[in-house]
Amino acid sequence: TKFTTASSTESVFSKTLTLNANTVYSYFLIGNPEQFESVTSIDVMTSGNPKASIRVANMTPDAESLNVTITRTTDKEIGESTVLNTVYKSVSEFVAYEPASYTIDVRDKTTNDVVATSTPTTLAAGKYYTILVRGKVTPGNTEHKAGIEVITNL
C-alpha cells in the first residue's frame, strides 16, 4: 500500500501487505505525518444475518483505552445498552444487535470523561458496521478532536 497527499505523488507512508484470497480486510492509516502506522483487521461477516452487527476500532492515539456505550433509542427496549472496551490500535469482533436506532458514547476508560457522542444512528438488519473512533482527545492546534464515524462494512 502507498499513501500520498492530494497535492503530491511522493509517498507519506508505504507498507507491503500479504493478503489471503477470499478474505475481507479493513485497513486503517493512523498516527501523525511524522510517524504514520497502520492497523489491518480481518472482517468476519456472513450473509443472511438477521441482526445488525457492530464492532469498534479505536484509532485515537492519546486514549489508550476507551469504553464505548451503545444505547438503544427506539422501540420497546429503550435504554438497553452495552459497553465495549477497546484499546488503542485495536478492532473488536462484531457483536450482534437488534436492528434499531442507537446512540454511541465514547468515554476514556481511566477518567470516564466523554470523548465523543453520536447522534442517533439507525442500524439495519443484515448490515455490519464499524464504529471508528478517531482524532485526539487533547488535540494540538492543527489536529482533529476525537470523534465517531459509523462505517457500513456490508
Side-chain angles (χ1 to χ4, degrees):
T1 57
K2 177 181 173 182
F3 290 87
T4 62
T5 62
S7 60
S8 173
T9 58
E10 184 178 330
S11 175
V12 294
F13 180 81
S14 64
K15 182 176 183 175
T16 301
L17 297 173
T18 302
L19 304 174
N20 298 321
N22 302 315
T23 304
V24 179
Y25 297 87
S26 289
Y27 188 79
F28 303 92
L29 180 65
I30 60 172
N32 300 305
E34 304 81 39
Q35 188 177 7
F36 281 123
E37 298 178 75
S38 64
V39 174
T40 305
S41 70
I42 295 175
D43 299 351
V44 179
M45 300 177 284
T46 57
S47 61
N49 180 5
K51 305 269 185 174
S53 296
I54 305 170
R55 69 176 179 179
V56 177
N58 177 359
M59 303 301 153
T60 308
D62 61 341
E64 188 60 35
S65 187
L66 298 171
N67 283 332
V68 179
T69 304
I70 302 164
T71 305
R72 189 171 179 165
T73 58
T74 57
D75 302 327
K76 61 185 171 201
E77 297 171 24
I78 292 175
E80 172 190 353
S81 64
T82 305
V83 177
L84 303 173
N85 176 259
T86 180
V87 296
Y88 176 54
K89 295 195 280 189
S90 71
V91 181
S92 70
E93 298 293 323
F94 285 105
V95 176
Y97 288 81
E98 289 299 323
S101 179
Y102 293 85
T103 56
I104 302 158
D105 296 308
V106 179
R107 293 180 177 270
D108 184 289
K109 184 178 180 189
T110 304
T111 65
N112 204 37
D113 290 342
V114 174
V115 171
T117 300
S118 76
T119 57
T121 302
T122 300
L123 305 177
K127 298 288 185 180
Y128 287 80
Y129 301 92
T130 298
I131 299 169
L132 174 61
V133 185
R134 58 186 167 81
K136 288 199 169 179
V137 175
T138 310
N141 292 337
T142 60
E143 297 172 322
H144 294 281
K145 182 171 175 29
I148 300 167
E149 182 176 351
V150 179
I151 300 168
T152 304
N153 296 80
L154 175 70

